[in-house]
Amino acid sequence: MDRSTGFVFHTDCLAHDTGPGHPERPQRLQAILDRLEECGLLEEVERLSPREARPEEIAGPHSEPHIERMASAPPGPIDGDTWSSPGSFRAAKLAAGGTLDAIDRVWDRRWQNAFCALRPPGHHAEEDQAMGFCLFNNVAVAAHYLRREKGVDRVAILDWDVHHGNGTQHLFEEDPSVFYASLHQWPLYPGTGAASERGRGA
């Protein structure tokens, strides 16, 4: 069987504990795994347990103080929506690192494409702020990696979510090397993403 699709998952991403009743909880990821296994699709992909992203890779889009705050965040709320637990920092590094592992395998033509079933999510995370369930902006880490390590001239990010990816937009809205398109409902959290927001400068 041609295993041209990669499936990136790590059990430690389930250790990011957001507390009872939180909408972004381990069961969301477990439900994906259970359904894929139930319908036999897990047998048709090549599974990979990813590495942690290194600090210098996360520092592409994020400030060093932000990374240090996430590393030392005590268990509990970071803000009204975003939580930290003893397993959160490692899970966040795995979520970012998983995107980089997927890039490497697609780049080397070992995979045709990849699905990264990882958490915490990322598109609300700003350069210096965790928010909206997100600690690090995983796709922004990936875009920086493509530019820096692979020499890619331009990167396109298509964000399909009920909420606008404010963090991703803000990180790249003055960067002509990254095209960011968001498909979302508006106005919803976080209140950004109007049709008039088209980037700034070049």
Side-chain angles (χ1 to χ4, degrees):
M1 184 177 296
D2 178 17
R3 294 180 179 269
S4 59
T5 294
F7 184 80
V8 185
F9 168 75
H10 200 294
T11 55
D12 285 355
C13 287
L14 300 172
H16 171 51
D17 184 2
T18 51
H22 195 283
E24 203 298 290
R25 54 188 181 267
Q27 290 85 349
R28 282 179 30 160
L29 187 53
Q30 189 62 56
I32 293 172
L33 294 169
D34 292 346
R35 179 58 180 152
L36 291 176
E37 186 166 17
E38 178 184 302
C39 66
L41 284 177
L42 279 184
E43 298 302 316
E44 299 183 20
V45 297
E46 183 174 344
R47 299 180 68 170
L48 174 71
S49 185
R51 65 175 176 89
E52 296 180 6
R54 297 187 294 273
E56 61 270 22
E57 293 169 333
I58 298 170
H62 292 292
S63 70
E64 290 186 12
H66 174 65
I67 298 170
E68 292 168 1
R69 281 194 301 273
M70 294 303 96
S72 60
I78 296 173
D79 62 22
D81 299 306
T82 312
W83 285 68
S84 178
S85 70
S88 296
F89 186 57
R90 172 165 163 77
K93 290 188 292 182
L94 289 167
T99 66
L100 307 186
D101 280 345
I103 284 170
D104 285 340
R105 282 160 178 75
V106 173
W107 187 266
D108 295 340
R109 300 183 185 278
R110 287 177 279 175
W111 293 346
Q112 182 178 344
N113 50 52
F115 182 86
C116 298
L118 303 163
R119 57 183 293 275
H123 74 166
H124 293 306
E126 303 269 4
E127 176 185 9
D128 201 42
Q129 180 183 358
M131 66 178 292
F133 313 159
C134 307
L135 305 187
F136 299 132
N137 196 309
N138 306 318
V139 74
V141 171
H144 276 269
Y145 184 77
L146 280 165
R147 296 279 291 115
R148 183 183 61 251
E149 300 297 330
K150 305 300 185 184
V152 172
D153 291 330
R154 297 200 72 201
V155 176
I157 299 171
L158 176 61
D159 186 342
W160 185 9
D161 191 286
V162 68
H163 299 118
H164 173 239
N166 57 290
T168 310
Q169 175 177 312
H170 293 154
L171 285 164
F172 296 117
E173 64 186 345
E174 295 182 355
D175 184 347
S177 71
V178 177
F179 175 80
Y180 174 67
S182 178
L183 305 178
H184 56 271
Q185 292 185 21
W186 189 89
L188 288 178
Y189 178 91
T192 54
S196 59
E197 296 176 32
R198 299 294 183 91
R200 297 198 299 261

